[in-house]
Amino acid sequence: MALTQQLARVTPRYLEQCRQNAAASPDNDPQWDPPQDDTLDLDWAIWGLISFFRWAHVDTKHLDALDRSISGDNSSDVACLDHPEVYDGFDAPPALLAHTEVAQVADILNAIDLDQALSLLPSNSTEAAQACGFEGFNGHPRDYLVQHFTALRSFYNTAAQRGLAVVTWVD
């Protein structure tokens, strides 16, 4: 079973509807089904980028924002999503990053010079993979990291522009 990092952009109205659905359902099913265009599967790339940032001693502000982007801040506002129809229960329940925090995280993600940070990545594929915590990674992880970080940054920029919150979970 492969675990991957999931994100969804949501409105407060959508979260309230999920709460109401859960309260009305005999099994507390929130009927979680955000639009596909507002979801992002990051695979496990950002976990590797966080590991690499720690390994390379990248700016703590950037590391913290990257971590918040996939960990959220507040789980109590999305407690209704602690349900098997939303995630498999292997990791922590879904968490929320409120729309005001999304804008702050987006600003910091935009300030990260990924090329500069990745210049510290070893050129040897095996060593680079190890620096990211990717044991057994096939090939050099640079392109994989860039692709997923670019998707994350774009996702957050869109959420910030639209005033949306972000729900994070592992499934």
Side-chain angles (χ1 to χ4, degrees):
M1 165 176 55
L3 297 175
T4 62
Q5 180 66 56
Q6 306 289 318
L7 303 176
R9 296 182 289 234
V10 297
T11 64
R13 182 175 176 208
Y14 183 75
L15 288 176
E16 182 54 35
Q17 184 62 54
C18 288
R19 283 185 206 97
Q20 291 173 8
N21 293 343
S25 170
D27 70 346
N28 297 321
D29 184 355
Q31 297 176 24
W32 172 254
D33 190 23
Q36 189 169 5
D37 289 347
D38 284 322
T39 62
L40 180 63
D41 183 338
L42 289 168
D43 204 23
W44 30 269
I46 302 306
W47 304 332
L49 192 56
I50 289 170
S51 293
F52 169 68
F53 275 25
R54 286 187 180 121
W55 178 87
H57 304 289
V58 171
D59 184 338
T60 303
K61 179 179 176 181
H62 294 166
L63 176 61
D64 291 346
L66 194 58
D67 186 43
R68 282 182 74 205
S69 76
I70 63 167
S71 300
D73 285 337
N74 186 345
S75 297
S76 64
D77 285 346
V78 291
C80 67
L81 300 179
D82 188 358
H83 190 275
E85 293 298 320
V86 178
Y87 81 113
D88 64 11
F90 187 78
D91 198 38
L96 178 71
L97 198 61
H99 73 279
T100 54
E101 303 303 312
V102 165
Q104 292 173 0
V105 168
D107 287 343
I108 297 170
L109 292 176
N110 287 327
I112 294 174
D113 184 341
L114 193 60
D115 286 334
Q116 179 183 8
L118 292 180
S119 71
L120 303 172
L121 197 60
S123 58
N124 177 283
S125 296
T126 303
E127 292 173 8
Q130 288 173 344
C132 298
F134 293 161
E135 298 304 319
F137 191 86
N138 188 14
H140 199 282
R142 188 186 197 328
D143 290 342
Y144 177 74
L145 297 173
V146 169
Q147 174 188 359
H148 286 84
F149 177 78
T150 301
L152 175 70
R153 183 172 15 208
S154 176
F155 187 86
Y156 265 87
N157 284 330
T158 298
Q161 290 166 356
R162 293 172 51 199
L164 299 176
V166 172
V167 174
T168 70
W169 73 101
V170 173
D171 200 18

